[in-house]
Amino acid sequence: MSELIPSPNIWEAPDVYEVENRGVDRGHVIEDAMRSVLDWSGRDVLDVGCGTGYHLPFFAADARSVVGVEPHPPLAALAAQRISGMPSVSVREEGAAAIGVSDDSFDVAHARWAYFFGPGCEPGLAELERVMRPGGAAFVIDNDATRSTFGQWFRRALPSYDPRAVERFWQRQGWERERLDIRWDFDSREDFEAVVAIEFAPEHADLILAEHPDATGVDYAVNLWHHRY
């Protein structure tokens, strides 16, 4: 396996990241948009960078089978615990660029804030070409840093990030985009503060919380990139 690139939020605070997962897109805007491209009901689904497996049971409710791929051993172990007793779901401790399955294994692939961040992810895209069946669809969900309150925070925290360059990368690969407006909402101020603290360096987290003293959530824009095979 190639060297892993740490993901500090979920690697260092999986319990808080679980809170974040519950608070992102409670209206299922992302999943509804995916279904409009290709519904996974009765199909074989791949979740790339599945982390603790948060989305695996959701897909398993309708899919024929679901495979979660996660390269970080502690997270893969948590994902395996989550789906224990679910015969149609499995977890593989592998990276996106080398998935140990046969060619043409999946109808739908899903990667949410994992691995596919633009230039540099070409090995994973090549692996998708191998494992996806003709007629299948792959989906990549990432931040749209050009808009929304969360996007403003993201740009301020990462001034070197060039969202237009990322967009041009996906367009060159022949992927299409849906711009989606979702919410980032939490049950309490305490949860909101905890999630902000794992997503941003302390100086940026402190500024965000000072600017939004009573908030428990904000508007959030994402890009849903998708490609048919």
Side-chain angles (χ1 to χ4, degrees):
M1 183 185 300
S2 60
E3 183 179 353
L4 300 184
I5 299 174
S7 181
N9 48 15
I10 191 171
W11 280 32
E12 297 177 9
D15 291 344
V16 179
Y17 200 83
E18 190 81 1
V19 173
E20 182 170 12
N21 270 325
R22 292 198 297 268
V24 174
D25 191 25
R26 293 186 174 192
H28 295 290
V29 172
I30 294 170
E31 288 87 1
D32 288 348
M34 290 172 59
R35 286 188 192 273
S36 71
V37 176
L38 184 63
D39 194 335
W40 54 86
S41 297
R43 303 180 189 273
D44 298 312
V45 175
L46 171 67
D47 190 6
V48 180
C50 70
T52 61
Y54 183 82
H55 297 100
L56 299 180
F58 178 84
F59 288 119
D62 299 310
R64 176 169 55 190
S65 72
V66 183
V67 174
V69 171
E70 172 54 52
H72 189 48
L75 298 181
L78 291 172
Q81 291 175 18
R82 187 190 293 271
I83 56 91
S84 177
M86 302 177 67
S88 67
V89 190
S90 62
V91 174
R92 303 181 66 93
E93 188 183 308
E94 297 169 338
I99 303 170
V101 299
S102 59
D103 296 354
D104 303 333
S105 290
F106 301 105
D107 304 295
V108 175
H110 164 265
R112 189 174 305 211
W113 295 297
Y115 181 83
F116 294 99
F117 299 121
C121 74
E122 290 88 349
L125 292 176
E127 186 69 342
L128 284 181
E129 289 281 353
R130 184 185 72 82
V131 303
M132 295 300 293
R133 292 178 182 137
F139 300 92
V140 169
I141 298 98
D142 198 6
N143 296 321
D144 181 352
T146 66
R147 58 198 185 93
S148 84
T149 300
F150 188 93
Q152 293 172 5
W153 300 345
F154 190 89
R155 291 196 309 275
R156 184 168 62 191
L158 294 171
S160 63
Y161 179 80
D162 184 352
R164 301 301 184 190
V166 174
E167 292 171 13
R168 290 193 296 270
F169 168 83
W170 287 110
Q171 290 164 355
R172 288 196 302 271
Q173 306 303 315
W175 287 54
E176 299 182 53
R177 175 175 58 174
E178 300 285 340
R179 293 183 179 218
L180 304 178
D181 296 302
I182 64 172
R183 290 285 303 174
W184 203 60
D185 280 317
F186 303 97
D187 293 335
S188 67
R189 176 67 178 185
E190 180 181 11
D191 285 349
F192 179 78
E193 292 179 357
V195 173
V196 168
I198 70 166
E199 289 294 349
F200 298 94
E203 64 273 20
H204 292 289
D206 290 345
L207 184 58
I208 287 167
L209 297 175
E211 291 173 343
H212 302 268
D214 301 314
T216 57
V218 293
D219 56 298
Y220 195 138
V222 299
N223 288 320
L224 173 66
W225 295 100
H226 56 89
H227 182 69
R228 296 299 297 265
Y229 294 87

